[in-house]
């Protein structure tokens, strides 16, 4: 059934009902805004919804009013009484169904909720006092400061037989406990004291109360903790923390799209948007927000002129958004004081409290009219002043939301029923599978599926979400460690490394990490060599006291290579182990998504994870040890066929020496005069190649005095040997990790996992599956699902019946037949006007 059909059904009922009252009877009845005269002010208690009269619950628009009842009896009392009972029972069933829906969402953490009124305001704005006035009795802890520290959900239900409020505290599992008002108030105050003792702590879990009362409206109201405006400064840090906690709690409640926000503003200037500013963070256009100006009795004396009152009652759009729910704000006053018999009590009983609320409303209307110099408009103005008007509006608004949401609730409950039934069947099947042979078989099946997922992740897949499971290179550095230099500082950012911004996992992430290792280590150059390092490496030979600069170069090169390259080996091992370990939760997620997960058997899953992690750790150790052996062999003995592969390498060494010699000669020549330079140049030109060779040998073999030529030769040889060790090291490390870390994960791990699990089966099957604990867990889950399924079934039946009633094609004709047009003696028959059919039926009429 669509929303429009529901509205048309309501409109048809409204139109049919309007034909039963004659113009003379309409003149006799008081309207919602007729409270101007002193006579009407004295009798205002008889016209408000929540004040007791002799004949029962009487409202201006209710079917039970005295004048209307007489008119109805004149036109067929039996038909009216039957239809009144029909409508009242139907609405009560609807309210009960939505109350149970709200409890279902709270108890079982369902992603939906029933429409409700969410009261939002700052401290001392009068939230709890207004809620009590709407209910017609006092129960809460009201006063200055933060009194409400947990949201309080009130499922209020009109019950004409309950002369006193009947309160039921709903605990975990939808268990109801009947409590008195005193016990309810003590429970709420004890919860507030407990949370206050925890240093301004607030709890989002709601206190749920169901109330049946003769003067209660059919509403679900959620009273939230008051918003806090903490002062700045470090000394107020505790209040600032409490402010953030309350705002987060209230914001999470406002984000429920089904909730109607009742925004309380304690202000006489609509430009001062204290609470609205916070509410508009969630509802920017205030399209599901009702604005209420509280403490109207203190506002009225602040207005000096009637124009100020006009501006307050009819604020322009520049001061108050015209898109608010209802089009205009409401204005309420609640008398201060508590109900009781103590010396400090102001009201003797709840009846006295309700009369005081009604009297305050009448007095507010009188004072407003006095300031304005005219009577309030019976339509927009009078219908917005007073607790009774707000209550009537909220009840009708919530009722409309209920009817509109019925068509969408039916399929939603059907989906939840299917989900709960499927979970219950799976739980029962798991309970039946808690036998030794079946447990082993299920464990083996899960093992093989898990191995298949790990193999798939290494080979490459897009089954897992990169947004959830992937890591960019920056994320990988944070969680798996970055490559650091010899001083322990992070290396510069790699601008040309491929896929560094992509979120990768599995084999793709392994390949990127190896590419980064090649990029970092493969381009490293030998650090500068000092003269002291060369001299200290010369030493004394056991045959002669000359210098073997080739040996000196080898000693320096292998020492620097070992110092530089060994830390990168451990960094690479830790990085690869991090990438491999990440595949375990990804594989478990894929198994759970595909319905192949072993639910409930946490010990078995932990054992599989433990075997996997142990294997990764062992592979890392073995691979690093093999890499260390290669590094040791490379830096233990210089093999020229590996470290200096061809003649071009030696030529490059002497080219570097020649270049250095020419630079030194140019530097020396700068300090001589031109004649000396010409003489030296002519003598150099006359030196034969043999003499140059003798000079080179003399400077590098027999003298221990370190010259520029000797230093350059050693430095060039060290760089050449270092580069040879580096190239061999990078290739060897990549080969070792591919062969002794990656391949064992694919080839050897399946056999090891099977062997370990079979050994656990033989030694301690109960220890690996923990049958007793699993059985207890499954039985508890079965009870939970049974309770959930029972509640969903009950709600499904109720909403299906309500939806079936609303969606009957002949409902409009049935409504018209229940309310036929009658002619009274001496009057003309009253037809259904188009204007009357557009008016929504009030909440009391639908009862």
């Amino acid at each position: 059934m669509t929303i429009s059909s529901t509205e048309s059904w309501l409109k048809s009922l409204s139109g049919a009902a309007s034909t039963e009252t004659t113009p003379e009877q309409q003149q006799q009845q008081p309207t919602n805004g007729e409270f101007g005269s002193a006579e009407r002010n004295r009798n205002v208690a008889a016209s408000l919804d929540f004040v007791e009269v002799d004949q029962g619950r009487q409202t201006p628009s209710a079917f039970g009013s005295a004048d209307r009842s007489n008119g109805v009896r004149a036109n067929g009392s039996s038909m009216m009484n039957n239809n009144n009972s029909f409508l009242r029972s139907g609405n009560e069933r609807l309210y009960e169904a939505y109350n149970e829906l709200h409890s279902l969402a709270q108890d079982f953490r369902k992603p939906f909720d029933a429409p409700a009124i969410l009261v939002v305001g700052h401290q001392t704005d009068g939230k709890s006092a207004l809620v009590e006035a709407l209910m017609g009795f006092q129960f809460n802890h009201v006063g200055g400061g933060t009194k409400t520290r947990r949201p309080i959900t009130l499922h209020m239900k009109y019950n004409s037989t309950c002369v006193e409020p009947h309160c039921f505290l709903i605990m975990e599992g939808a268990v109801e406990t009947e409590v008195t008002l005193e016990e309810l108030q003590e429970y709420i105050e004890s919860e507030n004291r407990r949370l206050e003792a925890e240093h301004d702590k607030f709890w989002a879990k709601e206190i749920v109360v169901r109330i049946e009362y003769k003067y209660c409206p059919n509403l679900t109201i959620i009273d939230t903790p008051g918003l806090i405006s903490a002062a700045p400064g470090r000394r107020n840090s505790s209040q600032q923390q409490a402010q953030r906690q309350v705002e987060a709690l209230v914001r999470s409640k406002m984000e429920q799209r089904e909730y109607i926000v009742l925004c309380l503003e304690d202000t006489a200037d609509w430009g001062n948007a204290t609470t609205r500013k916070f509410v508009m963070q969630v509802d920017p256009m205030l399209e599901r927000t009702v604005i209420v100006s509280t403490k109207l009795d203190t506002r009225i004396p602040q207005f000096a002129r009637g124009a100020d009152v006009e501006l307050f009652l009819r604020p322009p759009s520049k001061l108050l958004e015209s898109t608010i729910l209802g089009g205009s704000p409401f204005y309420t006053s609640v008398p201060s004081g508590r109900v009781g018999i103590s010396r400090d009590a102001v009201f003797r009983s709840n009846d006295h409290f309700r009369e005081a609320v009604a009297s305050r409303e009448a007095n507010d209307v009188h004072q407003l009219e006095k300031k304005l110099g005219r009577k309030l408009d019976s339509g927009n103005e009078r219908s917005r002043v007073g607790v009774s008007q707000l209550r009537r509006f909220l009840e009708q608004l919530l009722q409309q939301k209920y009817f509109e949401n019925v068509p969408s609730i039916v399929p939603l409950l059907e989906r939840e029923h299917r989900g709960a039934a499927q979970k219950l069947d799976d739980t029962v099947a798991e309970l039946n599978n808690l036998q030794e042979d079946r447990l082993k078989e299920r464990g083996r099946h899960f093992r093989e599926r898990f191995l298949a997922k790990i193999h798939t992740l290494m080979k490459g897949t897009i089954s897992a979400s990169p947004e959830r499971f992937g890591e960019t290179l920056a994320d990988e550095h944070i969680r798996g460690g970055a490559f650091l230099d010899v001083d322990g500082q992070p290396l510069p950012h790699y601008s040309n490394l491929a896929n560094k911004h992509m979120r990768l996992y599995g084999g793709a992430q392994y390949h990127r990490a190896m590419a980064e290792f090649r990029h970092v280590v493969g381009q490293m150059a030998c650090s500068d060599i000092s003269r002291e390092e060369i001299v200290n490496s010369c030493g004394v030979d056991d045959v002669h006291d000359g210098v073997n600069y080739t040996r000196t170069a080898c000693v320096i090169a292998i020492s620097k290579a070992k110092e530089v390259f060994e830390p990168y080996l451990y960094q690479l091992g830790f990085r690869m182990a991090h990438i491999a370990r990440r595949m375990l939760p990804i594989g478990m997620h894929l198994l759970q998504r595909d319905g192949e997960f072993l639910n409930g058997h946490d010990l078995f899953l932990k054992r599989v994870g433990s075997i996997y992690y142990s294997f990764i750790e062992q592979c890392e150790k073995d691979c690093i040890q093999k890499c260390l052996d290669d590094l040791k062999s490379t830096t233990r003995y210089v093999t020229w066929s590996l470290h200096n592969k061809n003649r071009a390498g030696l030529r490059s060494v002497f080219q570097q020496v020649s270049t250095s010699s020419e630079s030194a000669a140019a530097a020396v020549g700068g300090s001589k005069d031109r004649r000396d330079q010409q003489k030296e140049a002519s003598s150099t030109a006359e030196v034969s190649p043999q003499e140059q060779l003798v000079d080179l040998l003399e400077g590098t073999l027999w003298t221990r005095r370190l010259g520029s030529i000797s230093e350059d030769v050693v430095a060039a040889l060290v760089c050449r040997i270092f580069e040879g060790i580096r190239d061999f090291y990078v290739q060897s490390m990549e080969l070792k990790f591919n062969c002794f870390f990656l391949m064992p994960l694919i080839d050897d791990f399946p056999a090891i996992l099977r062997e370990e699990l079979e050994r656990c089966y033989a030694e301690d099957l109960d220890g690996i599956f923990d049958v007793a604990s699993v059985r207890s867990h499954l039985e508890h889950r079965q009870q939970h699902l049974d309770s959930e399924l029972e509640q969903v079934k009950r709600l499904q039946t109720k909403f299906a019946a309500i939806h079936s009633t609303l969606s009957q094609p002949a409902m409009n004709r049935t409504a018209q037949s229940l309310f036929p047009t009658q002619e009274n003696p001496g009057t003309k028959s009253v037809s259904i006007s188009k204007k009357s059919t557009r008016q929504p039926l009030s909440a009391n009429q639908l009862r």
Side-chain angles (χ1 to χ4, degrees):
M1 181 179 182
T2 61
I3 295 176
S4 59
S5 61
T6 305
E7 293 177 348
S8 63
W9 179 71
L10 293 174
K11 291 177 182 178
S12 66
L13 290 182
S14 178
S18 66
T19 63
E20 297 169 355
T21 306
T22 64
E24 290 78 9
Q25 292 171 329
Q26 292 176 354
Q27 292 177 1
Q28 295 174 0
Q29 288 180 268
T31 62
N32 290 344
E34 294 177 351
F35 291 95
S37 65
E39 180 68 22
R40 289 195 181 97
N41 287 338
R42 286 194 298 271
N43 297 328
V44 68
S47 63
L48 294 175
D49 287 352
F50 50 93
V51 179
E52 186 177 5
V53 294
D54 294 337
Q55 301 298 327
R57 191 173 190 266
Q58 181 174 340
T59 65
S61 60
F63 288 128
S65 62
D67 293 338
R68 285 192 104 170
S69 296
N70 293 333
V72 170
R73 282 193 293 270
N75 295 316
S77 60
S78 60
M79 181 178 296
M80 175 56 65
N81 290 336
N82 291 337
N83 186 62
N84 190 11
S85 301
F86 166 76
L87 290 174
R88 179 176 297 174
S89 62
N91 277 316
E92 287 179 355
R93 287 191 297 115
L94 183 65
Y95 295 134
E96 289 175 358
Y98 271 106
N99 289 346
E100 290 187 25
L101 184 67
H102 184 87
S103 299
L104 176 70
Q106 293 294 318
D107 293 341
F108 299 100
R109 293 180 175 86
K110 294 298 180 181
F112 56 85
D113 211 336
I117 307 298
L118 185 73
V119 185
V120 179
H122 279 75
Q123 284 182 348
T124 68
D125 277 354
K127 295 188 290 60
S128 300
L130 179 60
V131 171
E132 290 180 338
L134 291 171
M135 297 174 62
F137 66 92
Q138 293 183 350
F139 75 100
N140 202 356
H141 193 184
V142 178
T146 303
K147 298 302 181 184
T148 303
R149 294 183 176 274
R150 283 182 64 181
I152 303 175
T153 299
L154 303 167
H155 296 304
M156 296 181 287
K157 177 183 176 183
Y158 165 73
N159 190 338
S160 60
T161 63
C162 296
V163 180
E164 295 295 332
H166 285 193
C167 303
F168 301 87
L169 191 60
I170 303 177
M171 309 301 290
E172 291 288 344
V175 178
E176 290 188 354
T177 303
E178 186 172 2
V179 294
T180 64
L181 283 179
E182 293 76 13
E183 292 173 342
L184 177 60
Q185 185 172 2
E186 175 58 30
Y187 177 77
I188 294 174
E189 291 182 1
S190 65
E191 282 295 289
N192 291 334
R193 287 193 301 267
R194 178 181 65 83
L195 294 172
E196 186 176 7
E198 297 178 1
H199 305 291
D200 293 328
K201 295 293 184 180
F202 297 85
W203 194 11
K205 185 174 178 58
E206 301 171 4
I207 299 175
V208 184
V209 183
R210 185 172 65 85
I211 300 171
E212 296 184 8
Y213 191 29
K214 186 176 182 178
Y215 305 106
C216 262
N218 287 307
L219 287 177
T220 295
I221 292 182
I222 303 175
D223 187 15
T224 61
L227 300 173
I228 301 173
S229 297
R234 298 181 60 182
R235 67 176 62 185
N236 301 307
S237 59
S238 60
Q239 280 291 96
Q240 294 165 7
Q241 181 181 3
Q243 175 182 343
R244 291 190 292 268
Q245 291 178 352
V246 174
E247 289 180 353
L249 187 154
V250 178
R251 187 181 292 109
S252 65
K253 296 295 182 183
M254 289 194 300
E255 289 173 352
Q256 293 285 342
R257 300 294 303 174
E258 298 298 327
Y259 288 170
I260 299 168
V261 180
L262 194 66
C263 175
L264 272 57
E265 292 280 14
D266 182 9
T267 179
D269 180 12
W270 288 116
N272 183 16
T274 54
T275 307
R276 271 184 296 142
K277 181 179 179 181
F278 175 75
V279 172
M280 291 176 72
Q281 296 178 11
V282 179
D283 186 15
M285 302 300 296
L286 301 177
E287 295 175 335
R288 57 184 181 95
T289 301
V290 179
I291 304 296
V292 179
S293 175
T294 59
K295 305 178 183 180
L296 178 62
D297 54 337
T298 64
R299 303 277 88 81
I300 297 176
Q302 300 177 16
F303 301 122
R305 301 175 302 169
D308 297 334
V309 181
E310 294 280 2
L311 182 64
F312 186 59
L313 293 180
R314 298 176 180 272
S317 58
K318 65 180 180 180
L319 294 179
L320 182 64
E321 290 73 8
S322 59
T323 55
I324 62 174
L325 197 57
S328 299
F330 284 81
Y331 308 88
T332 62
S333 298
V334 179
S336 59
R338 306 304 295 168
V339 174
I341 58 176
S342 64
R343 180 181 302 177
D344 298 333
V346 177
F347 308 112
R348 299 182 304 276
S349 63
N350 285 316
D351 293 338
H352 188 198
F353 169 67
R354 291 192 301 275
E355 292 172 0
V357 174
S359 178
R360 177 61 55 82
E361 178 177 333
N363 186 61
D364 289 343
V365 173
H366 176 71
Q367 294 296 327
L368 285 174
E369 292 178 343
K370 184 178 179 181
K371 287 281 186 180
L372 290 170
R374 62 173 178 83
K375 292 188 179 298
L376 294 178
D377 178 72
S378 60
N380 187 46
E381 291 180 344
R382 178 61 189 95
S383 62
R384 301 289 170 171
V385 179
V387 174
S388 66
Q389 304 299 329
L390 175 63
R391 180 177 118 148
R392 184 178 295 111
F393 175 80
L394 293 178
E395 192 174 9
Q396 188 173 359
L397 181 63
L398 197 61
Q399 178 184 260
Q400 181 182 359
K401 293 280 290 184
Y402 283 166
F403 276 106
E404 289 176 353
N405 287 359
V406 166
S408 62
I409 293 297
V410 173
L412 186 63
L413 288 173
E414 176 65 26
R415 186 187 67 188
E416 293 298 325
H417 179 271
R418 289 196 306 268
Q422 182 62 45
K423 291 178 182 178
L424 183 60
D425 292 341
D426 295 341
T427 303
V428 173
E430 289 184 25
L431 279 170
N432 296 331
N433 287 332
L434 292 181
Q435 299 177 4
E436 183 175 336
D437 294 338
R438 292 186 178 182
L439 286 176
K440 290 182 179 180
E441 189 60 31
R442 293 185 66 198
R444 294 187 182 104
H445 175 75
F446 174 83
R447 177 195 66 199
E448 297 304 319
R449 299 305 304 165
F450 171 73
L451 291 173
K453 294 299 182 186
I454 295 297
H455 186 72
T456 301
L457 287 171
M458 290 304 305
K459 292 180 66 176
T461 180
I462 59 171
S463 299
S465 170
E467 291 79 8
R468 179 177 178 183
F469 297 104
E471 283 186 341
T472 63
L473 188 61
D475 297 333
E476 190 177 325
H477 285 173
I478 295 173
R479 300 163 188 166
F483 292 112
L484 307 177
D485 59 16
V486 293
D487 297 327
Q489 299 298 323
L491 293 170
H493 187 66
Y494 322 120
S495 58
N496 57 345
L497 187 64
N499 304 328
K500 63 179 181 180
H501 296 303
M502 294 186 179
R503 290 174 292 227
L504 306 180
Y505 56 80
Q509 189 176 7
Y510 176 91
H511 183 271
R512 183 181 63 185
M514 189 62 71
E516 181 188 1
F517 175 76
R518 289 196 307 268
H519 182 86
V520 171
V521 182
Q523 298 182 6
M524 295 191 68
C526 183
S527 60
D528 294 336
I529 304 168
S530 65
R531 296 174 63 87
E532 290 180 349
E533 289 177 332
I534 298 176
V535 172
N536 282 319
S537 301
C538 291
V540 178
D541 197 273
D542 57 350
V543 177
H544 63 92
D545 61 353
V547 180
N548 186 350
Y549 285 107
T550 303
R551 178 189 177 280
T552 299
C554 293
V555 169
I556 296 175
I558 61 178
S559 178
K560 283 185 173 292
K562 185 174 183 180
E563 178 184 359
V564 170
F565 296 139
E566 186 172 353
Y568 289 105
L569 174 58
Y570 292 98
Q571 295 174 23
L572 179 62
F574 187 82
R575 177 77 70 83
M576 294 306 183
H578 163 74
I579 295 171
R581 281 192 294 266
R582 291 189 64 245
M583 290 192 295
L584 177 65
I586 301 176
M588 293 294 183
H589 166 76
L590 295 178
L591 289 170
Q592 193 169 19
R593 187 200 62 183
D594 297 340
E596 300 170 341
F597 197 67
L598 203 60
N599 292 312
H601 299 282
D602 294 340
L603 284 181
F604 180 82
L605 298 176
K606 289 180 180 179
R607 183 63 61 90
V608 173
S610 176
I611 296 172
Y612 180 78
Y613 285 149
S614 299
F615 181 81
I616 295 297
E617 184 179 357
Q618 188 61 42
C619 282
E620 179 189 1
K621 291 181 180 179
D622 294 343
C623 186
I624 287 178
Q625 186 58 49
K626 289 181 171 60
C627 293
L628 284 175
D629 293 340
D630 272 3
L631 180 61
K632 182 179 179 180
S633 63
T634 310
T635 56
R636 176 66 179 83
Y637 186 78
V638 176
T639 304
W640 292 109
S641 59
L642 295 176
H643 298 82
N644 193 55
K645 298 184 175 65
N646 49 41
R647 183 181 181 88
L650 185 61
R651 182 178 293 110
S652 65
V653 170
F654 282 99
Q655 287 177 353
Q656 296 175 11
V657 173
S658 176
T659 304
S660 301
S661 300
E662 292 176 359
S663 300
V668 174
S671 62
K672 298 179 180 180
D673 56 13
R674 183 177 300 275
R675 183 180 300 175
D676 293 338
Q677 292 180 19
Q678 293 176 356
K679 182 178 179 181
E680 182 178 355
S682 60
S683 61
T684 303
E686 296 175 356
V687 175
S688 63
Q690 291 79 5
E691 292 178 351
Q692 292 181 5
L693 179 59
V694 171
D695 293 338
L696 179 62
L697 291 176
E698 182 181 4
T700 57
L701 294 180
W702 299 318
T703 179
R704 297 186 66 88
R705 185 175 181 179
L706 188 62
S708 60
I709 297 178
S710 304
E711 183 178 356
D712 293 338
V713 169
V714 172
L717 285 174
V718 168
C719 292
R720 186 60 188 172
I721 298 171
F722 182 90
E723 292 175 0
I725 296 176
R726 180 197 64 193
D727 296 341
F728 180 80
Y729 170 79
V730 171
Q731 295 177 6
S732 175
M733 297 306 103
E734 184 173 2
L735 183 63
K736 290 292 189 298
F737 269 89
N738 289 337
C739 294
F740 301 109
F741 183 85
L742 177 62
M743 297 311 297
L745 186 60
I746 298 175
D747 298 336
D748 301 339
F749 176 68
I752 291 177
L753 180 61
R754 296 186 185 104
E755 180 181 352
E756 288 292 328
L757 289 180
E758 291 298 331
R759 183 180 59 81
C760 293
Y761 288 167
E763 295 177 357
D764 188 13
L765 183 64
D766 292 338
I768 190 175
F769 281 104
D770 194 9
V771 178
S773 176
V774 171
R775 186 181 299 278
S776 175
H777 173 75
L778 291 176
E779 289 175 350
H780 176 74
R781 187 201 299 175
Q782 184 181 13
Q783 295 175 359
H784 182 80
L785 289 172
D786 281 333
S787 176
E788 178 183 348
L789 192 61
E790 181 181 357
Q791 193 168 349
V792 171
K793 282 182 179 179
R794 185 168 62 250
L795 277 174
Q796 193 178 14
T797 303
K798 289 185 177 182
F799 277 99
I802 295 170
H803 181 258
S804 177
T805 303
L806 293 177
S807 60
Q808 289 180 7
M811 179 55 68
N812 293 340
R813 294 193 298 272
T814 303
Q816 293 178 1
S817 65
L818 290 173
F819 301 96
T821 302
Q822 299 288 343
E823 289 187 5
N824 290 329
T827 62
K828 296 181 180 181
S829 62
V830 181
S831 61
I832 303 176
S833 65
K834 294 183 179 180
K835 183 178 180 180
S836 65
T837 58
R838 292 193 184 98
Q839 301 298 323
L841 203 59
S842 69
N844 295 315
Q845 285 176 314
L846 283 173
R847 294 195 187 98

